[in-house]
Amino acid sequence: LFRFLSYQVFGGFGIYLFNAYFSTFRMRHALMISALVSSFASVGDLAMVLRWNVWWGIPDKAFYLVGDTILEPIVEMMAFMPGTILISKMCPKNMEATTFAILASFSNLGSSLSQAFGVFAMQYAGIKTDVTEGECDFSNLPTLIVVCGMLLPLLAVPLVFILIPDIAMNDPVREDNEPVTVMTGLEKETDEGERMGLLGGGTKAD
């Protein structure tokens, strides 16, 4: 119960930090920062596995409380928000609910596949956690954290220049088939006069 409540509280704090400091960033920059933050957050797991926290004089319980209970939900939400905003901007007009549901399902599928691949990676690395028989082997866990937790998220950094549009997160997205109208000076005056007439005001000709 405590972990659930703390996750909700600090997850909301992560959303607040994103809205306060990153909501006006460009989409590419926000996704690159989220990849870098996710990679850097794995340093805490590596420090606990290698017992660096003991060298620093920090007990395991306190280090786990700060890392897993406080920092993890903040990092997850700050990494989650740019992708959610990008999905919402990819939805075409009048098909928002259907498109968002399809894209969100692909995102959830990717999350489930990453967990499954994580299990396969642990088996391939020879990590054993058999508590009943007392056979545990975490000798390759630091290498696995470096490869999967720190290096693989960095692959998203060059991919954002290929897959992500160079727009700000608060910019409207124009569809590919939406025409771009360029008005001349006379057309602008005519359009302004028509709008003034609809509002009950006089036109420039009056």
Side-chain angles (χ1 to χ4, degrees):
L1 179 61
F2 172 75
R3 191 179 188 281
F4 174 78
L5 293 177
S6 62
Y7 187 90
Q8 300 300 321
V9 171
F10 291 105
F13 183 67
I15 296 176
Y16 166 76
L17 290 178
F18 178 84
N19 290 330
Y21 299 103
F22 298 102
S23 59
T24 58
F25 277 32
R26 303 197 71 80
M27 188 68 68
R28 291 179 177 178
H29 295 164
L31 289 173
M32 284 190 295
I33 291 175
S34 66
L36 294 174
V37 170
S38 299
S39 177
F40 182 77
S42 298
V43 176
D45 297 331
L46 184 63
M48 177 170 285
V49 171
L50 295 178
R51 314 301 293 153
W52 291 349
N53 60 300
V54 178
W55 299 346
W56 299 336
I58 304 176
D60 290 337
K61 292 183 179 180
F63 196 80
Y64 175 82
L65 179 65
V66 174
D68 192 74
T69 308
I70 298 177
L71 295 181
E72 182 179 354
I74 296 176
V75 172
E76 285 185 0
M77 283 302 170
M78 293 184 66
F80 174 76
M81 290 300 295
T84 303
I85 294 175
L86 180 61
I87 289 176
S88 65
K89 287 183 175 293
M90 294 173 63
C91 299
K93 188 176 181 181
N94 299 325
M95 295 182 61
E96 291 86 353
T98 302
T99 307
F100 186 86
I102 294 174
L103 295 176
S105 65
F106 280 114
S107 178
N108 295 331
L109 176 62
S111 177
S112 299
L113 289 176
S114 66
Q115 296 178 5
F117 289 148
V119 174
F120 295 148
M122 291 178 63
Q123 294 178 353
Y124 180 78
I127 298 174
K128 299 179 181 179
T129 57
D130 192 351
V131 182
T132 57
E133 298 182 1
E135 296 181 0
C136 298
D137 185 4
F138 298 103
S139 58
N140 293 326
L141 185 57
T143 303
L144 195 64
I145 292 175
V146 172
V147 174
C148 298
M150 301 178 65
L151 297 182
L152 288 182
L154 297 179
L155 292 178
V157 174
L159 290 178
V160 297
F161 295 98
I162 303 174
L163 303 176
I164 305 301
D166 188 17
I167 59 174
M169 286 189 289
N170 54 359
D171 284 347
V173 177
R174 184 180 62 85
E175 298 183 10
D176 294 336
N177 57 354
E178 183 180 347
V180 179
T181 304
V182 179
M183 301 178 64
T184 62
L186 180 60
E187 290 174 342
K188 290 181 180 179
E189 291 184 1
T190 305
D191 181 71
E192 183 180 354
E194 291 177 353
R195 287 189 285 106
M196 292 292 293
L198 291 175
L199 293 175
T203 63
K204 289 186 177 181
D206 295 336

